[in-house]
Each structure stands twice: as structure tokens, then as C-alpha cells.
């Protein structure tokens, strides 16, 4: 059976939703409700609401909603049972056994165990005869053995079945290797090692368990990096390479890079706070992971055009997560690995001290696009700079950078500041209009039958003492049927978001019983007119 309702109710009641949500975004109280920028998607106008007294959250933007369990599931990309375990651990509650997903926990634990065994085999292979060429490659790049041990580096030999043969002898089945992403199948059904002739980087989760692998080609092989396929224990959008080490660093900031070797070389140079994305652009989930550990991040992406574009995208994602961002200019090197080898620890320390905040970085990129050699280029630079500065959150920041833009162009700072403030007001009005139109939609825009069903459910959930002749079959929408049936436990996996939406949209009714009868009449007879509720 699933977790007892009494246990789930206790878990919900004891969880402080504001404290929980504050680990991922910054709630602000407005009247009786709390608002925040949604931690699950990028947005400028806060559409994420929290009602702490009922332990609920709802986002009018992405329609995510529910209680603390559903929040942790989304925030940490976890299954229901795992999220229950995380919350129970925070509260010191003993978790009853959940039999609703038989074998799921066992499968996850087995994948972790298979990954651990594979990591050990790769490590031992690197130290053996098969690993000599890989070890020589590492020496040529200045990768020291003691740091390699810290990261658990290994080698996948240039054989089609090296790992498969070794793991089979250790009792691991082909299906288990395939589920863990360690072998692949061809079109004829044959199987072979997924990683061959590669320097192997185990990817650890925050608990130090091997979740996946990244294999770096030796020399100029392609693809340069090959990462594990996603599995029940590895989702690349939610993990950062090196985070299990960086979280133990005493430095108050992290350094974000694009490659595993970059992370390795920075740690070797004494920067034990370096992390990297796992073959993806920075995601919202990765940004939230960063925000939980540090408030400031230095981006050290490659110096080419692709790296500059990736930097600008990462800045927007990190800003939405509440992380202060600074950007490193890797002059004289194409990536952090090259820079460290060329200039060493002292050079990188100096680079950190010379870093730009993200506004300075964006303005410098604008100036490189529009060299302001002509009046037309000056005007284009000014227009783009005004758009950029209008998004800054405080008048002080806008004033400081307006003055800097004015100095660059040789014009009156007051005129730039005036234009920036006007652009900000225009954007603010547009954002508010969009919020009202998209998120706080008038009930008249909702089909009358749907409005009646939603209002009836909201009344019955808020005031369970109300009596109604309605049954689940009276509701047209399947989610409404499910919520009606599960009113005593509305925070189940299927109904939590709808329940949270109805509670977030709740309006007090002077006469709830009369309002409910109106809804009943409209639900059972679509032609009926509302007498009380409109």
C-alpha cells in the first residue's frame, strides 16, 4: 500500500512552505499572499504563489502546483517516495514503507551499485597495462595522479566488450548494464560497451554516489565528450559535474565552466569550487542547485562566440535564481584549462579579481558589436543599452550604469537615465498587463460549465461540512472527477496541482451554501442561469 494519509498529512502540516521555497527562490509577502519568481521556469513577472497556512504553492505561469511533496519532486527531480523521504529527514520523522511502486527503490539502488562497480573497473584499468596510453595522455596535459584519484578518473579500453565481460563475471546482467547506460544496442540487437578508448570521468551526485559517466576522447577523437544516457538516477539537466566537491569548499562562490577537464585543472590549481554543466546549456534546475550553496558565481566559459552566447543565456537563468553573476574574460586562452596551463594559479586569481559583473560584461559585448565610430552606431548602441539597463532591479544600479553609458558616448547622463527610467516604466506596465491577462484571467473567460465545476470543488474543499448531491459522474473534466473523489486527501500525485490552483484562486463567499447550489444547478443543467454566483 502507499504511505498512510495520516503520515502525509503530518508531513504537510509540519513543513514550513516559506522556508522550503526560500531555498530555491525569494518569496515576498504582498497582503495575505506570498509571491515569487517561479523556480521551475524563467520569468520576470512573479506568478508563483505560496499559501503557507494551507501548505500549498501554485504557479499561474507553468501550472505547477501542490504541497511540499510536489514541490520537492519538481525542485529536485525526484519520485514521490524519494521526496517524502527528503522532507521526513528534514523533520526527523520516520518514513513508513511505501509499496505503491514495488521494486523502484531497489532498481535505483542497483543502478548506483552497478555504476560504482563500473567506476572501480575503469579506475583499475587506468592503472593497468591497458591504461598506459591514457595515463601518458593525462601526463601530457599536466593532470596529476593525486587529483585523478580524488575525481575517481579511469579508462575505458578500446574494446567492444571490455566492461561487459568484466561486469558479467561479477554477476551484473546485460539488462542491468543497459539500464545503467553502460552498454548500447545496435539495430540487429547486438550489445557493446557504450564507452571505448576514453578517459572516464565519473559523475557524482551530491551524496557522492556515482550517477553516470562522461568519457573524454583521447586526442582529437569525436565526439570530444560522450555522456551517459539518462537513467532513473541521472538527469543531466539537474546535476553539475564536481558539485559534490565544490559544496565542501570554504570559498563563498563557485566557478562555472563548460568541460570536465576545466573543472579538474581548476581543482588541481587550488580552485576547489569549480563545477561544469554536463553537456547542456545551464538549466533552471542547475541554477537552483547553485543558489542553494552560494550566492555568487563566476562564469568561465570558452572565449569563442559560442561561449559568449552561452554566457549571456546562463546569466539570465542565474539571475532568475537569485545568483549574483560575474564573468571572466579568458584573454590569451580558449578555455580555463588552457588559461591555467599558461598562467597558473596566480594568473587565474588575478583574473578573478579583474572579472566583470554581468552588466559590465553585456555592455562590453554591445560595444564590440557597435564600435560607436559613427552616429548611427552610437544610436544603435544607446538603444540596446537602454533595453539592458531598464531591466535592472534598483534605481541606484540604473543610475550608475546610465552614467557609464553616457560617458562612453560623451552625452548627458541625465538624458540616458531619463530614457532608461521611461523604458523601465513601459516594460513594467507591459509586464503587469501580461500578468493580469495571462495569470489573473477573469472568470468570464472560462467556460461557464468549467467555472461552475471549479467553484463547486473549491467550496467543498474549503468547507467540507457543506453537503451536496453531486457525484463524481456529474463532472465533465477528468481531473475534476479525480479531485472530487479524493477530497479527503487532495494532495495526491494526480490532483495536487488542481487543488493548489483552486485554493490560489479562492474568493471568499458571503453565503457559501447558496453559491454551491448555484454551481450544482449549472453543472447538472448547462442551460441554467446563476442566481447567486456569476
Amino acid at each position: 500500500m502507499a504511505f498512510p494519509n495520516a503520515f502525509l498529512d503530518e508531513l504537510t502540516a509540519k513543513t514550513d512552505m516559506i522556508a522550503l521555497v526560500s531555498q530555491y527562490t525569494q518569496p515576498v509577502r504582498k497582503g495575505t499572499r506570498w509571491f515569487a519568481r517561479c523556480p521551475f521556469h524563467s520569468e520576470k513577472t512573479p506568478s508563483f504563489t505560496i499559501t503557507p497556512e494551507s501548505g500549498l504553492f501554485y504557479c499561474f505561469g507553468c501550472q505547477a502546483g501542490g504541497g511540499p511533496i510536489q514541490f520537492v519532486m519538481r525542485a529536485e527531480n525526484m519520485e514521490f517516495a524519494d521526496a517524502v523521504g527528503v522532507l521526513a529527514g528534514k523533520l526527523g520523522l520516520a518514513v513508513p514503507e511505501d509499496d505503491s511502486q514495488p521494486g523502484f527503490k531497489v532498481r535505483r539502488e542497483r543502478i548506483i551499485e552497478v555504476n560504482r562497480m563500473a567506476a572501480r573497473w575503469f579506475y583499475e584499468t587506468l592503472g593497468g597495462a591497458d591504461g598506459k596510453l591514457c595515463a601518458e595522455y593525462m601526463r601530457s596535459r599536466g593532470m596529476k595522479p593525486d587529483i585523478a584519484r580524488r575525481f575517481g578518473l579511469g579508462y575505458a579500453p578500446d574494446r567492444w566488450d571490455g566492461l561487459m565481460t568484466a561486469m558479467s563475471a561479477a554477476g551484473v546482467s546485460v539488462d542491468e548494464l543497459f539500464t545503467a547506460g553502460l552498454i548500447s544496442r545496435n539495430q540487429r540487437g547486438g550489445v557493446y560497451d557504450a564507452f571505448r578508448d576514453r578517459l572516464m570521468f565519473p559523475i557524482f551526485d551530491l551524496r557522492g554516489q556515482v550517477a553516470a559517466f562522461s568519457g573524454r576522447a583521447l586526442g582529437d577523437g569525436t565526439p570530444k565528450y560522450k555522456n551517459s544516457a539518462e537513467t532513473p538516477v541521472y538527469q543531466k539537466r539537474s546535476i553539475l559535474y564536481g558539485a559534490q566537491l565544490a559544496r565542501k569548499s570554504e570559498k563563498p562562490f563557485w566557478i562555472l565552466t563548460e568541460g570536465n577537464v576545466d573543472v579538474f585543472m581548476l581543482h588541481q590549481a587550488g580552485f576547489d569550487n569549480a563545477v561544469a554543466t554536463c553537456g547542456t546549456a545551464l538549466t533552471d534546475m542547475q541554477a537552483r542547485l547553485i543558489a542553494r550553496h552560494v550566492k555568487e558565481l563566476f562564469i568561465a566559459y570558452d572565449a569563442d562566440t559560442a561561449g559568449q552566447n552561452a554566457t549571456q543565456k546562463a546569466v539570465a537563468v542565474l539571475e532568475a535564481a537569485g545568483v549574483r553573476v560575474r564573468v571572466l574574460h579568458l584573454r590569451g586562452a580558449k578555455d580555463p584549462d588552457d588559461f591555467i596551463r599558461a598562467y597558473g594559479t596566480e594568473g587565474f586569481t588575478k583574473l578573478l579579481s579583474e572579472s566583470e559583473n554581468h552588466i559590465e560584461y553585456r555592455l562590453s559585448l554591445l560595444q564590440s558589436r557597435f564600435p560607436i565610430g559613427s552616429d548611427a552606431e552610437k544610436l544603435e548602441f544607446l538603444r540596446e543599452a537602454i533595453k539592458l539597463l531598464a531591466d535592472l532591479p534598483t534605481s541606484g544600479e540604473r543610475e550608475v550604469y546610465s552614467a557609464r553609458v553616457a560617458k562612453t558616448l560623451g552625452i548627458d547622463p541625465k538624458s540616458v537615465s531619463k530614457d532608461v527610467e521611461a523604458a523601465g516604466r513601459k516594460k513594467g506596465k507591459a509586464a503587469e498587463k501580461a500578468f493580469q491577462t495571462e495569470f489573473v484571467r477573469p472568470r468570464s473567460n472560462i467556460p461557464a460549465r468549467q467555472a461552475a465545476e471549479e467553484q463547486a470543488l473549491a467550496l467543498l474543499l474549503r468547507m467540507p461540512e457543506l453537503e451536496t448531491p453531486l457525484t463524481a459522474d456529474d463532472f465533465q473534466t477528468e481531473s475534476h472527477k479525480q479531485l472530487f473523489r479524493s477530497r479527503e486527501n487532495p494532495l495526491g500525485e494526480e490532483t495536487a496541482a488542481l487543488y493548489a490552483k483552486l485554493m490560489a484562486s479562492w474568493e471568499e463567499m458571503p453565503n457559501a451554501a447558496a453559491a454551491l447550489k448555484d454551481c450544482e444547478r449549472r453543472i447538472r443543467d448547462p442551460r441554467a442561469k446563476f442566481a447567486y454566483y456569476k
Side-chain angles (χ1 to χ4, degrees), residues 8-157:
L8 296 178
D9 290 344
E10 181 183 12
L11 198 66
T12 298
K14 289 187 174 180
T15 298
D16 183 336
M17 277 300 290
I18 299 301
L20 178 62
V21 171
S22 295
Q23 297 176 38
Y24 304 84
T25 185
Q26 297 173 331
V28 176
R29 185 167 190 164
K30 295 182 179 179
T32 59
R33 190 174 296 183
W34 291 76
F35 288 87
R37 287 189 176 89
C38 182
F40 308 133
H41 78 286
S42 296
E43 62 178 6
K44 291 184 178 178
T45 302
S47 63
F48 185 91
T49 64
I50 310 111
T51 50
E53 67 276 7
S54 55
L56 295 172
F57 74 92
Y58 186 74
C59 177
F60 287 92
C62 66
Q63 287 78 55
I69 299 170
Q70 287 73 29
F71 184 87
V72 172
M73 287 172 68
R74 277 187 170 267
E76 300 293 342
N77 195 33
M78 287 181 169
E79 298 292 329
F80 187 88
D82 292 328
V84 167
V86 167
L87 285 171
K90 291 177 182 292
L91 297 170
L93 298 177
V95 182
E97 189 62 36
D98 174 26
D99 299 326
S100 62
Q101 301 183 62
F104 180 79
K105 185 176 181 181
V106 173
R107 288 196 301 275
R108 282 177 55 90
E109 291 176 348
R110 181 57 174 168
I111 292 173
I112 292 291
E113 174 63 14
V114 169
N115 283 343
R116 187 194 63 78
M117 294 168 65
R120 169 59 62 179
W121 187 80
F122 289 137
Y123 176 81
E124 291 174 348
T125 303
L126 176 60
D130 285 340
K132 286 183 178 179
L133 287 178
C134 185
E136 179 56 37
Y137 168 81
M138 293 169 64
R139 281 192 292 273
S140 73
R141 300 200 59 155
M143 302 174 74
K144 297 179 180 178
D146 58 328
I147 308 301
R149 284 192 293 273
R150 183 189 306 172
F151 279 86
L153 300 196
Y155 175 62

Side-chain angles (χ1 to χ4, degrees), residues 263-297:
V263 172
F264 183 98
M265 296 303 288
L266 283 169
H267 278 251
Q268 183 170 281
F271 302 98
D272 60 351
N273 53 342
V275 298
T277 52
C278 295
T280 67
L282 185 73
T283 66
D284 294 339
M285 295 181 72
Q286 290 166 335
R288 294 197 301 273
L289 187 156
I290 293 167
R292 292 204 305 275
H293 291 91
V294 291
K295 296 303 178 187
E296 186 172 41
L297 180 105

Side-chain angles (χ1 to χ4, degrees), residues 395-416:
S395 59
E397 288 176 289
R398 295 192 294 272
E399 186 174 344
V400 166
Y401 290 108
S402 293
R404 182 169 300 185
V405 168
K407 183 178 180 181
T408 299
L409 296 172
I411 60 178
D412 184 2
K414 290 182 180 178
S415 66
V416 178

